[in-house]
Every structure is written in C-alpha cells, then in structure tokens.
Amino acid sequence: MDRYVTGAVIRRLRESKKMTQDELAEKIHVSGKAVSKWETGQGFPDISLLEPLARALDISVIELLSGEDIRNRNRSGNMGKSLFYVCPVCGNVISASGEAVVSCCGITLPPLEAESTDDEHRIRVEIVENEYYVTVDHPMTKDHYISFLAAVSEQGVTLVKLYPEGGAEARFRIEGNRYFYAFCNRHGLFRLKRGKKV
C-alpha cells in the first residue's frame, strides 16, 4: 500500500475533537502508549483498528487513509460546482455536488477538472421540441470515444452514459439546465456554460 494512515493525521484529527491520547485509546481499546507511538511515527495502527479509529475520529476509513476530513460547509449545495469522478478500471462515473472522497475498484479517484470546449470537443446544444439535443462531433471508436454527456441544473445532474461505436448525443429537459459536460476517454472533461449562472 503506497499510503497508510500517518501519525500526523491521527494527531490532527484527535486534537480537532479535543481528545487526549488516553481518551482516544480508551475508545478503540488500545493503550495510550500505542496512540503516542502512532502519532510520533514509531508505529502504525493495525489494519483491524482502522474502522474503530475512523469512527472515534468521526470520519470515514477512506478519509483517514487519505489524510483529509471532508466537510461540506455549504449545506445548501451549489450544483454549478458539481464534480465528476471516473474510475479508470471499470469506467464507473460518479457525480457529487461538492468535495468528496470517492473510491472505486480500490482506487481513490481525483475529481475531473473541466476544460472549456475546443475544436475537437465542441459541445453543441440545440432545442428540439421541448428538449436540449446535445451532440459532440467526435470519434466513437473502441479506443477513443465520448464516455458520457451530462447536464447540470439547479436541481441536479442528469447523466447519459455513452458507449463506443454509438452516437455522441443525448437529450435533456430544458428546465434549468445551465452547464453541459462531455467526457472524452483520452482527453478528459469538457464543459459548456449556457445562459445565466447556476
């Protein structure tokens, strides 16, 4: 394992909970000396202690291993700041309305950074009847294709998964959609902003 929980992380999280080493030790049924060793880098918690340790520190095991505790400070959310994560192993697509620790197939996924559209990844949006018809003029071969198209409104994210040798097109309801995304399996995420801000 490249990354494992560090003493500095345990100490920072413990102190943020205003716990002593002995209080943390009591919660997870180890000695205060063990916690002290972890925090000074003279040892690591056994893997069987990760879940109780994460519970005692009020975070997830993934957050504990990544060294970050994620807190959503904006409880009302802002869909205009939606994030997308794509697993390079299975192709799973996950969206979140704010910062998160996301893991799939044993990998912690970074959020994709959206770029403005370019000539090879131009997102076109037309109104057809009472829907947005979204297309990307892009190859859809087995090796190079648009993996998904998404529309983001104030109410949420609508995502359409695409597959090689299919069309790079989707239909979305007009109501409130302001951002459109296209993900190319080789070049990443592209975004088009339409109309007023979300």
Side-chain angles (χ1 to χ4, degrees):
M1 188 182 295
D2 289 342
R3 277 181 98 166
Y4 191 63
V5 63
T6 65
V9 169
I10 295 170
R11 181 178 179 177
R12 178 175 53 81
L13 294 170
R14 175 184 59 78
E15 289 176 346
S16 74
K17 302 287 290 175
K18 301 195 181 331
M19 272 192 280
T20 66
Q21 288 179 341
D22 288 333
E23 288 169 336
L24 176 58
E26 187 177 324
K27 284 183 178 234
I28 60 174
H29 309 291
V30 297
S31 68
K33 195 171 187 177
V35 174
S36 176
K37 282 185 177 181
W38 301 340
E39 291 186 359
T40 57
Q42 297 174 353
F44 295 101
D46 184 79
I47 198 156
S48 66
L49 293 171
L50 291 183
E51 283 190 45
L53 181 58
R55 251 191 323 274
L57 296 171
D58 195 29
I59 62 171
S60 70
V61 173
I62 292 172
E63 290 170 304
L64 181 62
L65 290 171
S66 72
E68 298 177 31
D69 53 326
I70 305 300
R71 299 286 184 251
N72 186 354
R73 289 168 184 81
N74 183 356
R75 295 287 178 196
S76 63
N78 180 344
M79 295 309 293
K81 295 182 179 179
S82 291
L83 299 172
F84 295 92
Y85 302 81
V86 175
C87 178
V89 176
C90 70
N92 192 14
V93 180
I94 301 158
S95 68
S97 61
E99 189 178 359
V101 175
V102 176
S103 178
C104 188
C105 295
I107 302 167
T108 300
L109 305 176
L112 299 173
E113 290 188 30
E115 299 178 36
S116 296
T117 60
D118 59 23
D119 289 339
E120 293 178 46
H121 302 92
R122 186 160 316 282
I123 300 171
R124 291 182 175 80
V125 180
E126 304 173 49
I127 296 176
V128 176
E129 296 173 358
N130 57 349
E131 294 178 309
Y132 284 128
Y133 177 59
V134 178
T135 59
V136 180
D137 185 19
H138 188 280
M140 291 296 282
T141 66
K142 288 182 180 179
D143 297 326
H144 190 194
Y145 58 93
I146 299 297
S147 174
F148 70 84
L149 293 172
V152 177
S153 71
E154 294 171 357
Q155 286 75 40
V157 175
T158 304
L159 189 138
V160 175
K161 184 79 172 108
L162 305 175
Y163 299 94
E165 300 179 354
E169 60 187 17
R171 291 178 178 261
F172 300 99
R173 294 178 65 184
I174 287 180
E175 297 171 358
N177 286 315
R178 299 285 179 238
Y179 293 96
F180 296 91
Y181 292 86
F183 178 72
C184 172
N185 72 320
R186 285 194 183 173
H187 300 106
L189 187 66
F190 294 88
R191 180 172 92 160
L192 172 71
K193 184 169 88 169
R194 184 176 175 89
K196 67 176 189 176
K197 270 189 171 180
V198 174

